[in-house]
Amino acid sequence: YILKDLHGYVLPHADTKYTGSIISHTLRFKPSKKFTTIIIIYYPYSDKPNVYNKYYHEYYVPFKCLEYVVKKQWKIKRKITYTGINIKENQSYSSIDNNTLIVVSADFSHFLPFEEAIELENKAAHSIMFRNLNITNYNSIIDDSKSFKLLYNIIPNDWILQWIGRTRSSGLKGVGYLSFLIRDK
């Protein structure tokens, strides 16, 4: 589906065993704008790059998923530049232009019982959709809310998050993965 007002995504960064379906569900929505840059905002868990000693996992998963979809599914031939913003190193960035697609790499609840996790994730999802990042028990499950703070500083106030998907890793105490589209109001 091509959307005229699509400016980016919130995507999980877990193993595609758990997130493949949510990422494909989310990336079936293609922006109509002719972007040449994809910025991925991420908060790395480890202190050093942990994928090929070059990338952080939280950047690498959405980067590789987007790279594949852009080339193979969307069949975009123009050169796309991928840029990561590591929140541990840089918590500021100027505004983005119309040639940029913006992505937040984020997971949600980690290792909570299912019912508790779902309740907290629902509240956190609604909270970030309304740009409310106050310190609460439900916002504390966002991995990591600093990424959303930066997002809200660089995107226009009339862009919104549209929650479109959820999945979880296996087990009674899994990890929650939510996805969102970043669109015009």
Side-chain angles (χ1 to χ4, degrees):
Y1 305 99
I2 297 176
L3 299 176
K4 289 188 294 186
D5 66 342
L6 180 59
H7 303 289
Y9 308 91
V10 174
L11 297 172
H13 51 247
D15 187 309
T16 53
K17 172 182 175 182
Y18 299 114
T19 62
S21 63
I22 194 76
I23 289 172
S24 66
H25 173 80
T26 306
L27 295 180
R28 69 183 172 160
F29 297 99
K30 177 184 174 186
S32 65
K33 69 180 181 178
K34 304 291 185 216
F35 61 91
T36 55
T37 302
I38 297 177
I39 295 174
I40 301 171
I41 300 170
Y42 67 100
Y43 187 94
Y45 178 75
S46 65
D47 291 331
K48 295 181 182 176
N50 53 0
V51 178
Y52 305 121
N53 293 319
K54 182 177 179 181
Y55 301 103
Y56 289 96
H57 166 81
E58 294 81 1
Y59 170 78
Y60 187 78
V61 171
F63 162 53
K64 284 302 181 181
C65 290
L66 284 158
E67 185 181 57
Y68 176 83
V69 167
V70 165
K71 287 180 183 175
K72 303 291 185 187
Q73 292 180 327
W74 296 349
K75 301 189 186 319
I76 293 175
K77 303 286 187 217
R78 66 184 171 275
K79 181 177 177 3
I80 305 296
T81 302
Y82 294 85
T83 302
I85 301 176
N86 177 339
I87 294 296
K88 281 186 176 178
E89 296 173 354
N90 183 8
Q91 293 189 15
S92 65
Y93 193 83
S94 61
S95 62
I96 61 171
D97 61 29
N98 200 38
N99 298 322
T100 302
L101 202 63
I102 190 143
V103 176
V104 174
S105 174
D107 288 346
F108 286 78
S109 66
H110 284 76
F111 314 118
L112 295 174
F114 179 78
E115 288 182 16
E116 179 184 357
I118 295 299
E119 180 181 344
L120 292 171
E121 288 172 7
N122 289 343
K123 289 177 180 178
H126 287 95
S127 185
I128 62 173
M129 288 189 305
F130 290 103
R131 297 182 181 224
N132 176 357
L133 295 168
N134 293 335
I135 298 171
T136 62
N137 63 332
Y138 49 88
N139 281 346
S140 69
I141 61 134
I142 301 169
D143 180 20
D144 185 273
S145 63
K146 291 179 187 86
S147 299
F148 290 94
K149 286 179 184 170
L150 178 59
L151 173 72
Y152 293 142
N153 284 334
I154 62 176
I155 65 172
N157 287 333
D158 61 347
W159 288 9
I160 62 163
L161 296 184
Q162 179 184 3
W163 184 15
I164 62 165
R166 177 203 326 254
T167 190
R168 285 182 63 75
S169 62
S170 60
L172 294 175
K173 293 185 176 185
V175 177
Y177 309 116
L178 283 62
S179 66
F180 300 80
L181 301 178
I182 302 171
R183 303 181 71 183
D184 289 340
K185 193 173 278 185

